[in-house]
Every structure is written in C-alpha cells, then in structure tokens.
Amino acid sequence: MQQLNYLTELLGFQGFYVSGIEIDNEGDIEKVIITLGREGRYICSGCGREVSSIHSSFEQEVRHLHLWRYLTILRFKKVKLRCRSCGVKVERLEFLEKNKRVTKELTHQVSELCKVMSVEDVATFEHLHWQTVKEMDKKAIQKAQSERSLEGITVLGVDEISVGRGHNYLHLVSSLDGPKGSEVLYVGEGRKEEDLKPFWRWFGKDRAKKITHGVMDMARGFINSFRANCPSIKIIYDKFHVMRHLLNALNEVRKAEFKRAGKKMRGQLMGKKFILLKRMDNLKGKARKALKELLSVNRRIYKAHLLKESFGQLWSYKYKGAARRFWDNWKKQLKWQRLEPYKKFAKMIDNHIDGILGYCDKKVSLGYIEGTNLKAKNIIRRAYGYRDKEYMKLKIIQGCSSIGVFRPYPYPLHHNPG
C-alpha cells in the first residue's frame, strides 16, 4: 500500500490515486497498466463548474509518459455528469488532451522531441503512429505561435526563398529588434504585394503603424506592401542582395572576357568563377594563388575584382555624407574601364541609394535574414519534402525563432495538496 502511495505522489494528478498496477508482457511491447481510483470531484466540460450528480460512467485507457522501459497505460473510470446548466456532459479532466487518448504531459514530450528529432524517429521512440505525432506537434506549434508576444517590434525584415521546382516561393517576415532578439515571425506563400496581406492581418494594423524600418531586397512587391501598411517606415535594402547584383555583374565581365580571349587565355579563365566571386580574405592556399595568377593576366577582371572587394565598405560608414562620397568615388573609377555590367549596376544603385544609405541611421542585423534563409532551406531539405504545407511553414517558424528552444521540462507537476 505504501508503494502505491508513492506512485500516486509521483503521478501528481489531483483527485486520482493509484489503486493497482499490472505488467503486460504479451506482444512485442512491454506495458504497465496503472489503475486509478477517484476521490469524487467532477468538473463539467461545458461550463467548468463542479458537479456532484453522476449520470453514468465508463472505463477509459490513455497513454502516459514511459515508466522506465514500459509503455504506460492509465486505466480509470470517466463519468458523464448531470449539469443544471449544460445537461448531460462528459467530465473535464485537466491532465487529458481534448478529444485525445493521451495525457498533456505525453503531448508536451512529443512536441519537444520533434524539435530535435524527426517525426518518424519520435513515433518510433514513443510507439505512436507518425501521423499522430505530426498532428500533436502541429497543434503545439500553432498554440505557441498564437501565444507569441508581438509587442515592442519596430524593425521588420522580409525575404523570399524558392521551394521545389518552378516559380514557387515562400516569404519569411522577421523581427530584427524584438524583446527576444531577431527571429522569424511569419511564413507565407508568394512574393507579390497581395501575398503579404495575410501577414498584415495577423500582425495587426496598430502594430504595423509602430514599424519604423523595413529591411528587404529591391523587389517592388515587398516595398509597396510595407509602405502601404507602415506609414512612417524607412526602407533599408539588404546588403547581401545588393552584393549579389554586384557578383552577377562581375560574372558577366568574366564571361565577356572569356569570349574575347584567345585559346591560351581561355585556359587560364576556365574554372575560375567561384574563386573570383569569393572574398579575397576567404581564399586560402591554391585557390588564393590561382586567383592572383588570374588577376595578373587580365586587366579588366583585375579592376572589376578590386571594385568588388572595396564596395562592401559602403556599409561601414556612420554618416550618410561620408557614405555618399565613397559611392561617388567608387563610380568615378568606372570611367574609361569598359565594364558595362558594372555601369548598369551603378545605375541601379543610384536609383536605390537612399535605401542603402538608410543603414547609416539604423544599424540592424543585415546578416540575420540571409542566415535564416539558409536555415529554412535546410529544414525543408532534412524533411525530404513536407506533404502538409502548413506544417512545413510552422516548422520553419519554430526552427528560426524563440518558440523552437528545446524545453523538455518547463512546467512543474501538479501534485496533490498535502
């Protein structure tokens, strides 16, 4: 009897006590069946009031956390109540998931394990069907997402990633200065202006009015959407997207020189694309030596490479005046160089220079958006393709935000009062 009292205390379900235990060794899985007795306190599932009048009862078995190596089953009498307000209603039990034959503790453990394991691995570990695990995890992420605090956010960032084949895109909206730091807030489909409308409905008009800065690429759809919903916003163009345009221009110079060069020169240009596009500081050993040899034999590529290496200084200035002088001097170096792709690039930057120089006024984390894109792609790749698109978006949010922190034991057990 003393042992059962210990188990009752460990179980911690108020109003229940352990009245018996049996071990079932039949089949492939060893089970322990814990029979629970009641202490006569019943709550109506309709109105939440305590009711003493019982209509009928039935036996129910539910899954609970593993007891050592045993799969644990709780067996108890569940009752239907005669409530004066609601009529005949099944009682509400706080430790059970609604409409599920599992305890809340098991659901929590499954959802936490899904943060660090695949759905299939969690299903194997917990002896559950993978579909059951997926639904439990999906519901837990939806609940965490609905309870997130969106207060104190003044800077948003947005970018898109391609998914699968064809022109299929997801847009990721991130908070870059929230109370919990930089994190993804929302994942939606598409990259047009109208595709962001669900985000603004979710985020709220009042919060949108408090947004002072938005970090994005030069996509017209994102720019129009943010300006339409955030009256006082200042646009900052993402450094990595601007640099991508410059690298494309450098590659165009390389291809033009390859076509213009003779047979011997083509041999030196062959296979040098990626070492040319990389930053000089990131090249080591043979790659660095090969780049130096390439730059020594072609003047245009040498000049284009120098301009590419120096362009990143534009984001190092604190004052717009100094940054603008640097940009004007950078453009002057294009004179007489016959670098047509660079001249097109310079014209594009002139059209968007205010958004680039906006970084001088607000130093935000420009690298976070690019890093998040890579992380989101890895999440999709590890899953080998999600059949449930909504679940895929939720997993990206979870993996790139504070709700994805692994917390296996966040809540104390609700023990019976002593």
Side-chain angles (χ1 to χ4, degrees), residues 382-412:
R382 284 202 308 268
Y384 299 103
Y386 284 95
R387 297 179 184 179
D388 186 337
K389 189 173 285 188
E390 188 63 29
Y391 184 50
M392 177 184 73
K393 292 188 284 187
L394 288 169
K395 292 300 287 185
I396 293 172
I397 293 171
Q398 183 188 60
C400 304
S401 68
S402 57
I403 66 174
V405 177
F406 184 50
R407 296 187 179 95
Y409 309 111
Y411 305 113

Side-chain angles (χ1 to χ4, degrees), residues 57-164:
S57 65
F58 57 95
E59 190 173 84
Q60 188 168 34
E61 293 185 351
V62 299
R63 279 284 312 277
H64 191 43
L65 299 172
H66 279 68
L67 183 63
W68 291 286
R69 71 177 187 271
Y70 296 102
L71 188 150
T72 305
I73 306 293
L74 303 181
R75 180 185 290 165
F76 57 92
K77 293 281 188 181
K78 196 171 185 180
V79 302
K80 290 183 179 181
L81 306 172
R82 287 194 184 93
C83 179
R84 292 180 180 179
S85 302
C86 308
V88 177
K89 285 282 187 179
V90 177
E91 68 171 323
R92 184 178 72 192
L93 297 174
E94 294 297 335
F95 66 89
L96 289 187
E97 283 289 356
K98 187 177 180 181
N99 301 324
K100 300 285 185 182
R101 294 194 175 185
V102 294
T103 62
K104 289 182 177 179
E105 282 84 352
L106 179 60
T107 299
H108 175 76
Q109 178 169 283
V110 166
S111 63
E112 289 298 318
L113 289 176
C114 284
K115 294 178 180 179
V116 293
M117 298 167 62
S118 69
V119 168
E120 186 176 348
D121 288 342
V122 176
T124 301
F125 180 76
E126 294 289 354
H127 298 288
L128 294 168
H129 192 275
W130 72 267
Q131 188 75 26
T132 303
V133 171
K134 192 209 83 169
E135 291 301 323
M136 293 166 76
D137 186 35
K138 183 177 179 180
K139 182 180 178 182
I141 303 174
Q142 288 173 331
K143 183 175 183 295
Q145 175 71 347
S146 66
E147 294 175 351
R148 293 177 73 177
S149 174
L150 300 175
E151 301 305 321
I153 298 172
T154 60
V155 181
L156 292 177
V158 62
D159 199 5
E160 81 276 357
I161 59 172
S162 59
V163 181

Side-chain angles (χ1 to χ4, degrees), residues 24-48:
D24 182 2
N25 291 319
E26 295 182 7
D28 298 330
I29 303 172
E30 292 183 307
K31 302 177 184 178
V32 58
I33 301 173
I34 300 177
T35 304
L36 303 179
R38 304 294 301 270
E39 293 180 350
R41 183 174 180 270
Y42 310 108
I43 305 296
C44 175
S45 59
C47 61

Side-chain angles (χ1 to χ4, degrees), residues 145 148 150 153-161 171-178 181-188 196 199-200 202-203 211 213-216 226 233 364-373 376 396-397 400-401:
Q145 175 71 347
R148 293 177 73 177
L150 300 175
I153 298 172
T154 60
V155 181
L156 292 177
V158 62
D159 199 5
E160 81 276 357
I161 59 172
H171 59 262
L172 281 65
V173 184
S174 305
S175 164
L176 300 181
D177 72 334
S182 299
E183 60 178 348
V184 171
L185 298 177
Y186 183 89
V187 177
L196 267 72
F199 165 73
W200 296 116
W202 175 78
F203 192 68
I211 300 301
H213 294 81
V215 180
M216 63 199 71
F226 271 69
I233 196 168
V364 294
S365 177
L366 296 177
Y368 175 78
I369 295 176
E370 194 70 15
T372 298
N373 286 357
I396 293 172
I397 293 171
C400 304
S401 68

Side-chain angles (χ1 to χ4, degrees), residues 204-223:
K205 290 183 179 180
D206 293 336
R207 294 191 189 95
K209 291 177 182 178
K210 298 177 183 178
I211 300 301
T212 59
H213 294 81
V215 180
M216 63 199 71
D217 59 20
M218 289 173 267
R220 184 53 54 187
F222 291 156
I223 297 170

